[in-house]
Amino acid sequence: QVQLVESGGGLVQAGGSLRLSCAASGEISSFNFMGWYRQAPGNQRELVASITSGGSTNYADSVKGRFTISRDNAKNTVYLQMNSLEPEDTAVYYCYYRYRVTYWGQGTQVTVSS
């Protein structure tokens, strides 16, 4: 079992920044994927960014150049630095951990006002 605890969401004006954190605990594999999905009302959950334990990253086209994903393997924590936020980024952001099985965080609300 893996537990995920997220923090860092909130309300920000367009053009502002937020940093999300997600700490994993439990049976952590030395090789794994971690990252973030988001879901806006009425929309499907979509991948925002992912990072392997080796540091390889992947981003949705809509956030490239604005968001940066990073991780601290010693702390089993993944971060999402979100800059130049737009109202379209408003969603609940879910952290995930994946190795054979996918675990999800509880979600954190990000609201970007215009």
Side-chain angles (χ1 to χ4, degrees):
Q1 292 288 327
V2 173
Q3 295 77 42
L4 301 171
V5 178
E6 303 162 353
S7 60
L11 172 65
V12 65
Q13 289 188 330
S17 298
L18 284 174
R19 189 192 195 206
L20 305 182
S21 299
C22 174
S25 61
E27 299 176 2
I28 305 298
S29 169
S30 59
F31 177 78
N32 59 71
F33 292 85
M34 292 187 72
W36 301 87
Y37 276 72
R38 68 185 180 187
Q39 187 167 20
N43 290 358
Q44 291 186 333
R45 192 173 293 192
E46 62 175 355
L47 177 67
V48 176
S50 65
I51 185 168
T52 69
S53 45
S56 296
T57 60
N58 183 47
Y59 294 93
D61 288 343
S62 60
V63 307
K64 285 180 180 176
R66 300 189 298 122
F67 292 9
T68 302
I69 190 168
S70 61
R71 63 188 292 166
D72 183 337
N73 287 336
K75 297 181 179 179
N76 293 321
T77 299
V78 64
Y79 307 95
L80 186 67
Q81 178 66 43
M82 305 186 292
N83 299 328
S84 302
L85 282 160
E86 303 169 351
E88 292 74 22
D89 296 315
T90 295
V92 178
Y93 284 68
Y94 296 91
C95 171
Y96 77 93
Y97 167 97
R98 180 175 298 144
Y99 177 68
R100 296 181 179 174
V101 178
T102 301
Y103 296 90
W104 296 96
Q106 78 279 8
T108 185
Q109 177 70 46
V110 171
T111 303
V112 184
S113 63
S114 58

